[in-house]
Amino acid sequence: MMNEKLQAAFNDQINKELYSEYLYLAMKIYFLEQNLNGFANWFDVQVQEERAHAMGLFNYLNDREGTLKLEAIDKPVVEGNTPVTIFEQVLKHEKFVTERISALMDVADEAHDRAALSFLDWYIKEQVEEEATASTILGTLRLIGDDKKGLLMLDRELAARTFTAPTIG
Ligand code: OFO
């Protein structure tokens, strides 16, 4: 059984992942309104990934006979109002999540919970990918600038993204 502090940290991270899901759903609305359906699809896949991240932690805490506690999910605030500023926020958010996963690993480390640390390894690696993907799209958007054709080409590319349930842990 995990110690209380680690259980609380897991519950907190579940909340952060569910917030991520909610934030990306809010961002999807922006792109639907702009008729950029490929971007909307990218966010839809992101929403499903965040739910999978939350459920991975949820199931692990349950497997370890921890106490699951669901708290309120904050209202998502989309700060940007252009594709570039929205992806700036995505990157900033993923960096924040990386910090939170690192903090969670610190709590597991303090508790000498090797099993939890080994499980969380997947999450810290996933964050490298999450940040790299957001950074690549942001870089492309900056290159595109005001070129509508370029934006539509990227939209078509993002329409091809599909969700594959990750094998966590
Ligand atoms: Fe769960 O990785 Fe993004 O937030």
Side-chain angles (χ1 to χ4, degrees):
M1 164 95 88
M2 283 186 207
N3 78 20
E4 299 266 320
K5 190 175 172 192
L6 187 52
Q7 289 186 41
F10 260 78
N11 276 309
D12 186 58
Q13 190 58 35
I14 291 167
N15 185 275
K16 296 281 181 298
E17 300 292 346
L18 292 173
Y19 175 78
S20 300
E21 177 186 5
Y22 214 26
L23 177 65
Y24 293 144
L25 192 57
M27 289 177 173
K28 176 180 169 172
I29 295 171
Y30 165 84
F31 288 102
L32 285 173
E33 285 171 355
Q34 303 299 313
N35 289 318
L36 289 168
N37 294 328
F39 279 88
N41 172 66
W42 188 90
F43 278 95
D44 195 51
V45 173
Q46 200 64 16
V47 162
Q48 294 177 73
E49 284 204 350
E50 298 304 348
R51 170 57 65 96
H53 297 168
M55 291 314 295
L57 296 162
F58 183 105
N59 292 332
Y60 185 76
L61 185 52
N62 186 51
D63 286 348
R64 294 284 307 274
E65 296 177 359
T67 305
L68 286 154
K69 278 191 194 148
L70 295 182
E71 300 293 344
I73 302 166
D74 289 343
K75 181 178 173 178
V77 179
V78 180
E79 291 161 4
N81 56 2
T82 62
V84 168
T85 52
I86 287 180
F87 270 88
E88 280 170 353
Q89 188 184 355
V90 171
L91 182 57
K92 187 174 91 177
H93 181 69
E94 288 304 333
K95 286 183 175 170
F96 166 73
V97 173
T98 302
E99 280 169 21
R100 297 316 306 156
I101 298 281
S102 295
L104 175 56
M105 291 181 92
D106 286 346
V107 178
D109 201 23
E110 266 168 40
H112 305 294
D113 195 322
R114 302 277 160 239
L117 270 175
S118 153
F119 171 76
L120 291 169
D121 219 39
W122 183 89
Y123 281 84
I124 204 74
K125 286 185 192 140
E126 171 74 0
Q127 281 313 118
V128 173
E129 211 178 287
E130 290 276 78
E131 286 188 28
T133 306
S135 176
T136 300
I137 297 174
L138 178 58
T140 306
L141 281 168
R142 284 183 175 145
L143 271 178
I144 286 170
D146 291 333
D147 175 14
K148 292 249 182 316
K149 242 196 200 160
L151 187 64
L152 289 176
M153 274 173 69
L154 180 58
D155 189 61
R156 224 169 289 147
E157 196 184 304
L158 298 182
R161 187 183 190 199
T162 54
F163 175 68
T164 311
T167 308
I168 298 176

